[in-house]
């Protein structure tokens, strides 16, 4: 049935997953869903915030439990998506670059330092879910591509042509609501995976 790619726009505890087929001129959405990134609803979706007032050992235990839950949920969500896409050649999954890369905030390795600075809490939580999705994708056998979602529209315009964002925005007519910025970003990132590495 042809090649598809999956794009994921993640948040703390949940994500939007969109699979796209076709060329940048004629993209088609073949899967769209919101998924939960925690398999235990009793756990906090912002574990670093929840751990900020705890002792280091208790905080580390809580964060570790959320990390494990997020990895399991991410793996299950991506496995379910690839199962639904059976018959397609799934080329890979596109994820946000997150805190890695030049010019972006790097979260310290020291847990006490992270818990002591509020701006680190958000970065650490974002990276927790990015890492869980990367691990889950690899467990499912998906190749991972990472893009800076803050620069995604510019990247897509440069690689796929200036009209691509408008085409993706217009996919709402094909798929109906909801078709939010998260869906559009996931679809654009998936189209970048379909296009392959820039030449």
């Amino acid at each position: 049935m042809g090649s598809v790619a999956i794009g994921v726009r993640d948040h703390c505890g949940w994500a939007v997953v969109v699979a796209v087929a076709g060329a940048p001129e004629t993209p088609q959405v073949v899967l769209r869903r919101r998924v939960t990134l925690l398999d235990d609803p009793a756990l906090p979706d912002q574990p670093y915030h929840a751990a900020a007032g705890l002792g280091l050992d208790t905080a580390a235990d809580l964060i570790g439990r959320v990390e494990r839950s997020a990895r399991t949920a991410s793996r299950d969500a991506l496995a379910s998506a690839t199962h639904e896409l059976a018959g397609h050649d799934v080329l890979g999954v596109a994820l946000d670059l997150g805190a890695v890369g030049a010019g972006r905030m790097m979260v310290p390795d020291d847990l006490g330092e992270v818990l002591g600075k509020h701006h680190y809490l958000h970065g650490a939580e974002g990276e927790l879910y990015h890492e869980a999705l990367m691990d889950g994708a690899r467990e499912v056998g998906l190749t991972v591509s990472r893009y800076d979602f803050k620069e995604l529209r510019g990247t897509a315009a440069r690689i796929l042509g200036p009209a691509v964002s408008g085409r993706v925005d217009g996919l709402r007519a094909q798929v109906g609501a909801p078709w939010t910025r998260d869906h559009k970003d996931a679809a654009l990132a998936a189209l970048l995976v379909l296009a392959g590495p820039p030449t």
Side-chain angles (χ1 to χ4, degrees):
M1 289 195 286
S3 298
V4 300
I6 299 169
V8 180
R9 187 69 170 105
D10 64 284
H11 297 274
C12 287
W14 63 279
V16 165
V17 176
V18 177
V20 177
E25 296 77 21
T26 55
Q28 294 179 308
V29 175
V30 293
L31 178 146
R32 171 187 56 172
R33 64 174 57 151
R34 176 181 163 132
V35 299
T36 299
L37 296 181
L38 285 175
D39 72 342
D40 182 350
L43 290 173
D45 56 11
Q46 292 185 300
Y48 285 87
H49 281 78
L54 305 175
L56 279 181
D57 288 345
T58 305
D61 177 70
L62 174 62
I63 292 164
R65 284 188 287 130
V66 173
E67 286 174 338
R68 291 187 293 276
S69 178
R71 278 197 302 270
T72 299
S74 295
R75 180 200 65 211
D76 292 350
L78 291 171
S80 175
T82 54
H83 178 75
E84 191 169 326
L85 294 167
H88 294 279
D89 179 19
V90 182
L91 298 184
V93 61
L95 304 174
D96 191 2
L97 189 63
V100 303
R104 307 202 65 159
M105 179 183 73
M106 299 303 291
V107 177
D109 291 329
D110 181 76
L111 180 58
E113 188 177 354
V114 173
L115 296 178
K117 301 274 189 181
H118 190 262
H119 65 281
Y120 285 147
L121 301 179
H122 293 285
E125 281 159 352
E127 276 309 289
L128 184 154
Y129 291 104
H130 297 323
E131 293 292 330
L133 282 161
M134 283 198 302
D135 290 346
R138 290 175 180 138
E139 281 191 56
V140 174
L142 292 171
T143 300
V144 174
S145 299
R146 298 187 77 179
Y147 300 95
D148 184 347
F149 276 44
K150 292 180 180 177
E151 305 294 331
L152 187 62
R153 292 196 164 222
T155 302
R158 188 174 67 254
I159 296 172
L160 304 176
V164 69
S165 290
R167 291 192 191 101
V168 167
D169 291 349
L171 288 172
R172 187 179 190 279
Q174 176 195 127
V175 299
W179 192 243
T180 66
R181 181 62 182 259
D182 286 338
H183 296 91
K184 296 169 189 176
D185 284 351
L188 273 177
L191 281 172
L192 285 166
V193 173
L194 281 176
T199 56

